[in-house]
Amino acid sequence: MSLFAIRDYRHLFSAQVIALFGTGLATVALGLLAYDLAGPRAGVVLGTALTVKMVMYVVIAPLAAAYVDRLPRRAFLVFLDVVRAAVVLALPFVTEVWQIYVLIGLLQAGSAAFTPTFQAVIPDIVTDESDYTRALSASQVAYTMESLLSPVLAAVALAFMSFNLLFLGTSAGFAVSALLVLSTRIPDARPNAHAKAWDRAAAGIRTFLRTPRLRGVMALNLVVAAAGSIVVVNTVNYVRDVLGGSQSDVAWMLAASGGGTLLAALALPRILDRITARTVMLTGAGVLLGGTITAVGLMAAGLTTWTGTAINWTVIGIGMALVVTPTGKVLRASVAPNAIPEAFAAQFSLSHLAWLITYPIAGWLGTNAGFALAWSVLAALAGAGTVGALLLWPRHDGPRAVTEPDTTAPRLDRSTLSKAA
């Protein structure tokens, strides 16, 4: 059966895509709202708001994964969509910076709980192994398309309306997502391999710590966050204050990075058939390190041009896709089947922990000490992550490189493990 012939998956996937595009519009609007309230200090405001987001993701996602099989999942997903729609609807009425932090905290708490719950639902709806793998890929493509098209849609919309109206689009997206989830038949959750909530929350992280290739993924998370925070946090001030651009120009520059991500994502399926995930992901780390070093060099030399920035932002987008896209494949081949939700939840939290480190550097240090110094620190972190991944992820990463899963969970056979990277 074709993946999208499964009605319930089709509705859930549509809900995910619509909510993602709404979130993408809100991300652009949030940067412009920060600039509207704080002007040159918008980087501090945006960096703090995104740091609040990362705290919520790191803390709440593992807890949501721990309790996901005890909740009425359809009702819970709808509730989270409704909460997010209401919070985003309030953002256009913000008049003080502290209000942004409170609302972003509520919004991201909902998103942090939504993601692991959504991921845990998919294997119960898509039961065929090959279809489930394709579902993971489709989810990644959705994230990729959002990173490209949301800034483009925002740029077009900003030509005709105030950025505050973008928040209305986000709220509507969450409302439609809730209706689609309501139309889906979500079965009862599978029993979890771990009885205690703490064991459930910590199981995925323990797997990362004892598995060589997953320790390498942890290091690569830092590389992605170091390079990506330059784009996410600093683009609005860089375009408005250094390049002298408009609101629409901010969105188009973000779209340059998304375009690089899309180009790489489209090429990766065939590449991964011939080249190991380790090689592709480490190449991506090298690309990201090169992008951060280039950003530092251009800023220090005063070569702040539209063309140079757009090219470098595109390169960073390519590097992010090279690292992020194969991650799901590596995770699936490293854990037992009933531990997959825990592994994805752990990766969700650990990757956002890396962003929690880099967002304040880009926002606070970039505003108070200048882009050149902040980007130099981020380039150093990207370099440390790249070296760490090379050392932690063995070159010959066969079955023996993978720590056996918990005895409470069924083991993968050796032939499956050997396909990891």
Side-chain angles (χ1 to χ4, degrees), residues 33-324:
L33 174 62
Y35 190 85
D36 192 51
L37 292 176
R41 295 189 61 80
V44 172
V45 176
L46 190 55
T48 302
L50 293 172
T51 299
V52 171
K53 169 183 175 180
M54 294 303 108
V55 170
M56 293 299 176
Y57 278 21
V58 169
V59 173
I60 291 178
L63 295 177
Y67 287 99
V68 71
D69 65 337
R70 301 182 181 181
L71 299 172
R73 294 186 297 183
R74 185 175 70 168
F76 187 52
L77 289 172
V78 170
F79 170 75
L80 294 174
D81 270 338
V82 171
V83 168
R84 292 189 292 176
V87 170
V88 171
L89 203 57
L91 279 171
F93 302 100
V94 164
T95 57
E96 301 291 337
V97 169
W98 67 267
Q99 296 169 354
I100 292 181
Y101 302 149
V102 172
L103 291 175
I104 289 301
L106 293 173
L107 174 67
Q108 301 306 335
S111 295
F114 187 93
T115 298
T117 306
F118 175 86
Q119 289 175 336
V121 166
I122 297 304
D124 291 338
I125 292 176
V126 183
T127 56
D128 180 77
E129 184 72 15
S130 61
D131 281 344
Y132 181 51
T133 301
R134 291 172 57 208
L136 290 176
S137 300
S139 181
Q140 180 60 48
V141 170
Y143 280 105
T144 300
M145 291 298 292
E146 181 273 318
S147 68
L148 169 68
L149 295 181
S150 289
V152 175
L153 292 175
V156 173
L158 288 170
F160 303 98
M161 64 182 69
S162 165
F163 70 84
N164 281 328
L165 293 179
L166 294 181
F167 291 121
L168 297 179
T170 300
S171 183
F174 287 133
V176 173
S177 174
L179 292 174
L180 286 167
V181 173
L182 272 175
S183 70
T184 304
R185 296 162 296 185
I186 298 177
D188 293 335
R190 297 178 180 179
N192 197 286
H194 303 276
K196 296 181 180 179
W198 171 248
D199 288 341
R200 297 179 182 193
I205 294 176
R206 286 199 303 267
T207 299
F208 267 77
L209 293 176
R210 66 172 179 253
T211 307
R213 65 163 68 99
L214 296 186
R215 291 199 294 266
V217 170
M218 290 172 61
L220 291 172
N221 288 336
L222 182 61
V223 184
V224 171
S229 60
I230 293 176
V231 174
V232 176
V233 177
N234 296 140
T235 295
V236 61
N237 274 119
Y238 187 80
V239 170
R240 297 300 300 273
D241 297 333
V242 177
L243 297 179
S246 65
Q247 292 182 356
S248 293
D249 292 328
V250 172
W252 284 115
M253 192 61 75
L254 290 171
S257 178
T261 301
L262 178 65
L263 290 173
L266 291 175
L268 274 175
R270 292 184 178 180
I271 293 175
L272 288 169
D273 287 338
R274 300 182 177 89
I275 303 176
T276 65
R278 179 185 184 276
T279 300
V280 171
M281 295 171 74
L282 290 176
T283 299
V287 171
L288 290 174
L289 178 58
T292 57
I293 293 174
T294 300
V296 173
L298 292 176
M299 193 69 201
L303 302 176
T304 52
T305 65
W306 286 98
T307 301
T309 303
I311 291 173
N312 199 38
W313 262 222
T314 302
V315 168
I316 290 175
I318 291 172
M320 292 179 71
L322 292 176
V323 176
V324 173

